[in-house]
Amino acid sequence: MGRKVILIIGICFSTFPLLSWSHSNAEELGHHWEVIAYRTEIWIQLAIIGAACAAYLIVKRAAKVVTKWLLSKS
Amino acid sequence: MKSIWIIAKLSVLENSRKQVFHVLCLLILAVIAGSTLLSVFTEGVKIKMLKDLCMSCILFAGAVLSIGLAAGGVPNDVENRVVYPILARPIMRWQYVCGKFLGTVMTVGLAILALSVVFGVLIYYNQGQIDTFLLTAASFALLEATVIAAVATALSTATTPAIAVLLSFLMYLLGSIKIGYLSKLLDRVPDSLAKTGGMMFYHLLPNLECFNLKAALVHNNSVPISYLALVIFYGVCYAAFALAVAALIFKRREV
């Protein structure tokens, strides 16, 4: 457990400069609430989540119907 | 709902005893307390640096605690055979996964609350007034931690804890630099097949930058309410989706 904790904290702190660096450059680009690309990406991801949920429900429903039909045939 | 709440409470107790929780909270508290040593700067710069450093620490602690606690929660219970007596009771597997996730979020919430209180006291001490936007920024840090915890929980139901921790860190890192760097990197890829694969992965990554309101807190900028509402909706949807994936994987898994 001790080694795992040290490993996790080591990895974490090594990533810290990268995150700070990303923030400083983001400021040059503009704040994220002012950049349109952030909103667009949020809507794209929400559409993907919605599509994935719809596809899962359709496939599940279709599988249920097909199973029922096969059982009625046999 | 009652069973989810019971598992969540047990998960909070279990998580609050973990070394990673204590060590990280103490380290971050030490960094926040150490930020009072920034007295070499002029007053305005000092407060800005204090806010920047403390908010970075809170965001960072939230993310790391989420990964450290969520990635090990379910697999450790399976490995230590703690999950058998729980699942032998009339508890569905998805309720168990939701309970563990809720417990992780509550533990991270406690840590963020403690760090925010210390941060708030420091701001009050230096500025002479309470910064009300701190509450919003801390809430969005918790929302970011919730999304990361959901992703780590989903990964932990499919892989071992070590791989789940590493993959979660990778997703956290890439999610934090997604639009600033990753999109520009993908634009430079010449091969169309690699670009398509890259774009698919890109759209699956959580957009973690949008939860970071550090710049608004530091520079006293106002953030549009519509944007905040959109980000809250996005965070809740993404976390719910990742949790649904986790529940589906765990439902089919042989324990």
Side-chain angles (χ1 to χ4, degrees):
Chain A
M1 187 61 196
R3 279 184 200 169
K4 200 174 150 189
V5 170
I6 293 166
L7 181 72
I8 289 172
I9 291 170
I11 293 170
C12 297
F13 278 90
S14 64
T15 62
F16 203 75
L18 181 63
L19 295 175
S20 306
W21 173 58
S22 77
H23 171 65
S24 62
N25 198 35
E27 268 192 334
E28 284 169 25
L29 295 168
H31 298 306
H32 57 81
W33 53 91
E34 292 164 353
V35 180
I36 204 76
Y38 286 87
R39 281 177 194 256
T40 313
E41 183 57 27
I42 286 175
W43 283 116
I44 289 172
Q45 285 198 307
L46 286 173
I48 290 170
I49 289 170
C53 291
Y56 174 75
L57 288 175
I58 289 166
V59 167
K60 205 178 169 187
R61 182 80 189 155
K64 210 173 177 179
V65 169
V66 168
T67 312
K68 210 173 172 181
W69 181 72
L70 284 173
L71 282 172
S72 67
K73 276 275 184 187
S74 62
Chain B
M1 196 64 200
K2 198 182 169 189
S3 44
I4 294 176
W5 182 243
I6 291 167
I7 293 168
K9 278 199 290 186
L10 288 172
S11 184
V12 170
L13 276 175
E14 187 193 336
N15 287 337
S16 58
R17 290 188 194 124
K18 284 186 178 170
Q19 278 180 350
V20 67
F21 179 75
H22 296 148
V23 171
L24 206 76
C25 280
L26 283 174
L27 263 174
I28 298 295
L29 273 174
V31 174
I32 289 177
S35 61
T36 50
L37 301 171
L38 296 166
S39 54
V40 286
F41 299 103
T42 55
E43 201 54 40
V45 177
K46 184 183 156 185
I47 290 170
K48 278 186 178 176
M49 286 198 74
L50 179 80
K51 285 180 178 178
D52 200 331
L53 187 70
C54 291
M55 204 57 224
S56 297
C57 286
I58 289 172
L59 283 161
F60 187 62
V64 174
L65 278 174
S66 305
I67 294 169
L69 299 176
V74 178
N76 284 346
D77 276 5
V78 174
E79 201 178 308
N80 300 332
R81 295 163 192 254
V82 180
V83 76
Y84 300 122
I86 298 171
L87 293 179
R89 290 167 188 274
I91 293 171
M92 306 290 281
R93 286 192 178 196
W94 69 266
Q95 288 177 322
Y96 169 74
V97 173
C98 287
K100 292 296 281 185
F101 165 75
L102 194 64
T104 305
V105 171
M106 281 159 68
T107 316
V108 176
L110 283 174
I112 288 178
L113 181 72
L115 296 173
S116 301
V117 166
V118 177
F119 179 27
V121 169
L122 277 179
I123 288 182
Y124 183 74
Y125 179 73
N126 284 287
Q127 216 174 7
Q129 59 181 19
I130 296 168
D131 199 333
T132 48
F133 194 73
L134 170 65
L135 191 67
T136 314
S139 306
F140 275 76
L142 180 62
L143 192 60
E144 184 191 47
T146 306
V147 171
I148 296 167
V151 171
T153 306
L155 288 169
S156 74
T157 52
T159 58
T160 58
I163 294 173
V165 166
L166 284 175
L167 286 176
S168 305
F169 266 124
L170 192 70
M171 288 197 87
Y172 167 56
L173 271 181
L174 294 177
S176 299
I177 56 168
K178 188 178 171 181
I179 293 175
Y181 295 96
L182 218 57
S183 60
K184 285 167 187 63
L185 199 70
L186 277 171
D187 286 341
R188 289 182 197 164
V189 176
D191 184 31
S192 61
L193 191 70
K195 196 171 184 174
T196 311
M199 283 308 278
M200 279 168 71
F201 178 68
Y202 174 82
H203 288 307
L204 280 176
L205 278 174
N207 185 8
L208 298 175
E209 281 168 286
C210 62
F211 301 106
N212 187 344
L213 298 178
K214 186 174 71 175
L217 182 73
V218 172
H219 303 292
N220 294 320
N221 291 328
S222 61
V223 185
I225 300 288
S226 61
Y227 181 76
L228 293 179
L230 179 66
V231 172
I232 291 171
F233 181 64
Y234 165 70
V236 170
C237 285
Y238 198 98
F241 181 70
L243 206 60
V245 171
L248 265 177
I249 296 169
F250 194 64
K251 189 183 167 189
R252 286 156 203 267
R253 190 177 153 181
E254 219 171 284
V255 288

